[in-house]
Amino acid sequence: MKRADVVSCQPLFQRVAVIGLGLIGGSLALAIRSNGLARQVVGADARASELSLGLQSGVIDEAAASAADAVKGADLVVIAVPVRATESVLRDIASSLSPDAVLTDVGSTKGSFVAAVQRVFGSLGPRVIPGHPIAGSERSGVAAARADLFERHKTILTPGPACDVDSLARLRQLWQACGAEVLEMPVAHHDEVLAATSHVPHLIAFSLVDTLAGEDDNKEIFRYAAGGFRDFTRIAASDPVMWHDVFLTNADAVLRVLDHFSADLDRLRQAIANRDGQTLLRVFSRAKAAREHFSKMLSGQAYVINMTNKTVTFKVRPGGQVQGDIRVPGDKSISHRSIMLGALAEGVTEIEGFLEGEDSLATLQAFRDMGVVIEGPEKGFVRIHGVGMHGLQPPRGPLYLGNSGTAMRLFSGLLAAQAFDTELTGDESLSRRPMERVAAPLRLMGAVIETAEGGRPPLRIQGGQTLTGIHYAMPMASAQVKSCLLLAGLYAQGETSVTEPAPTRDHTERMLQGFGYAVKREPATACVTGGGKLTAAHIDIPADISSAAFFLVAASITPGADLILRHVGINPTRTGIINILRLMGANIELLNEREAGGEPVADLRVRYSALKGIDIPVDQVPLAIDEFPVLFIAAVCAEGRTVLSGAEELRVKESDRIQVMADGLAALGVQTDVRPDGIVIEGGATLGGGVVDSHGDHRIAMAFAVASLRAQGDIEIRDCANVATSFPNFVALAQQVGLQVAVEEAS
Ligand code: S3P
């Protein structure tokens, strides 16, 4: 609820009693008054000076002689005293508290508040709602109170099972109207999370400052203690009474985190004593990555979760041009594989041109979670300190793979053969995608893997299995399945071979060879023998042809366009987009063809050309499997009919790409004929403006941005945050060449 809404209607409460006018109690009283959330705010505080200061400075309307007086007639009572004083306050007010009053608190531990309420009242009544605003500063007392203290901060409420719904809703509204984001969680969970994120850090700050103050040359230390020391220990100036209460009331949860921390600190101590730079580098680079993804991580589990926590909308104006000379980011498929093989290799692998998109970063993070030291990425440069085929360590929690099907399927192969158990999870889209296609053949090799309902993630892989090579004829043309089995095959006894029904991308085979691992290759079959080793290599990752595809189509459909795309990978298993566009009449030239790191690359020049509709050859489908969303846009802009068939795999990509594209085109006034395995598009229809839902699919979002070049009106494309999975600087490059695309973001 916006604050203005609250001000303009009835106040949420008649009389609010705030017991304890410290920083938090005083700030809440002030925020309630400033935002008109109650008719009257009355304060009580055992310290007469704080109380009269509160009255004088307008923090409260009325100063009560006692807590019991304050709560008389109050419909909201807020206990804001140090947590260990709560129980005696509750006893003082028990007989004066109205039965209809909502009773809440602001303490940093919630189990202790609930226990105090139970001791005083016998049970947790329906209107008792423990609360905790995660706000404050090292300053204390009513003089430090600020009406805006809670703005853009979280307030956690921990209602019990019998909580009165209306009371909860009003308390929520009150906090929201003070600018806070309100979360709900069980009491025990709150206390665990806060022990880790707040209580232990305070303990460490208090302890470190105290230790250094006790050193003989403490004057020198404090004289030169600037920067890091000051930042790190700011919270050691917090209120000692309040914090002593916190530790005594949340002792169990704090001790658990503290023991874990002490053990980790001991290990670092040991590493320094042993001059073990590898361990230091591993822990520090893992922590640096975790800190950089701070807002996106969840405590206790894999380091990075839920990478896309914002809502992103593209707003695209019609028209625009396509001119210039650009390089799109590194190939996603090759980036994933470079991390995987680099981690398992012996020696240090250096990578250039690594895609710093969320998908490949999830793979990188997962290897960090398994103990691999990885430096970077820094402008596409990554250095991996390989641990060898058997050097991975068990991760502390599930490996979170974001939006990436490639990561999950390739990981399942290489993790099936490790000595430890793993669980693989992903975001909403990945959690809907089929995983039995890898789990079933891996089981034939002896792996123990559980998929969730319907063969979907999470995958639970039981380690310690002996794998045996198989000969597998894939039922679908999938490079992910092929790669998964080849990776498992590196660990299996004997030969593992995979036969594909049609050629699919062969980056795994090429890169294995680049790392010195023999791969027997026949036209439709790739074969490895287990038990070998990988040797570190240098990898130059070409620009991703799947990202270049958006600009190939953009230039092809825009009169006057002339664009150079540099250093694009043109591996023949990926060039379906060029072949199909050329069949449609596109003008694409391959310049300066060369080889980079075992992959063919070229600069592509593309100019406008009138396109015509075609029957897309079925053998091109696996070679352009990721490019169909934007090819559908080309088909709409072409003259005549385009028919796609044999493409049922599109239905199980990041979204059902046939249906989602058809729905998006329909929203722009273009009707198509959807088939189970493809689509028929009559070219030449007018693309109108409208609102398109990308269903969180990066390639759908980018395809509709390209459509704007030939649209008649503005296009709004919703749910575009996942563009960052494969093409983080798409918007900047699109703007650079002349597309009129703007971004709106909301948390
Ligand atoms: C990929 C293979 C393809 C492709 C995906 C990346 C890979 O998936 O769609 O974006 O890196 O191996 P399938 O193998 O499932 O077709």
Side-chain angles (χ1 to χ4, degrees), residues 129-144:
I129 306 168
H132 177 201
I134 319 270
S137 76
E138 68 284 8
R139 302 184 57 210
S140 41
V142 74

Side-chain angles (χ1 to χ4, degrees), residues 332-334 336-337 406 409-410 433 437 477-481 483 504-505 507-508 625-626 649 653-654 657 699:
K332 182 152 75 84
S333 293
I334 301 176
H336 281 299
R337 288 158 171 85
T406 305
R409 298 198 178 114
L410 271 59
R433 298 183 64 185
R437 55 176 59 198
S478 167
Q480 294 180 354
V481 176
S483 303
T504 67
R505 66 193 66 192
H507 306 302
T508 305
I625 192 68
D626 291 335
E649 276 292 302
K653 293 292 177 191
E654 285 83 329
R657 285 185 173 157
R699 300 201 196 279

Side-chain angles (χ1 to χ4, degrees), residues 64-79:
S66 67
D69 276 357
V71 305
K72 279 182 195 145
D75 51 352
L76 173 65
V77 174
V78 184
I79 311 286

Side-chain angles (χ1 to χ4, degrees), residues 11 108 198 205 310 341 352 427 460 479 538 546 616-617 722 728:
S108 304
S198 168
K310 351 180 255 270
L341 299 194
E352 285 171 76
D427 71 2
R460 291 205 177 77
H538 180 95
S546 296
I616 296 176
N722 280 337

Side-chain angles (χ1 to χ4, degrees), residues 147 220 304 430 530 547 672 698 728:
E220 282 299 284
V304 183
L430 183 54
S547 297
T672 55
H698 53 140

Side-chain angles (χ1 to χ4, degrees), residues 479-549:
Q480 294 180 354
V481 176
K482 172 177 66 174
S483 303
C484 161
L485 298 179
L486 292 177
L487 291 175
L490 304 183
Y491 290 91
Q493 290 174 346
E495 258 186 22
T496 299
S497 65
V498 187
T499 301
E500 50 192 12
T504 67
R505 66 193 66 192
D506 63 354
H507 306 302
T508 305
E509 297 91 305
R510 284 173 185 256
M511 202 182 287
L512 279 171
Q513 290 170 323
F515 277 78
Y517 207 108
V519 181
K520 237 193 297 165
R521 300 191 63 182
E522 287 156 21
T525 301
C527 172
V528 292
T529 303
K533 66 168 191 158
L534 299 164
T535 307
H538 180 95
I539 302 174
D540 176 7
I541 300 181
D544 197 329
I545 190 168
S546 296
S547 297

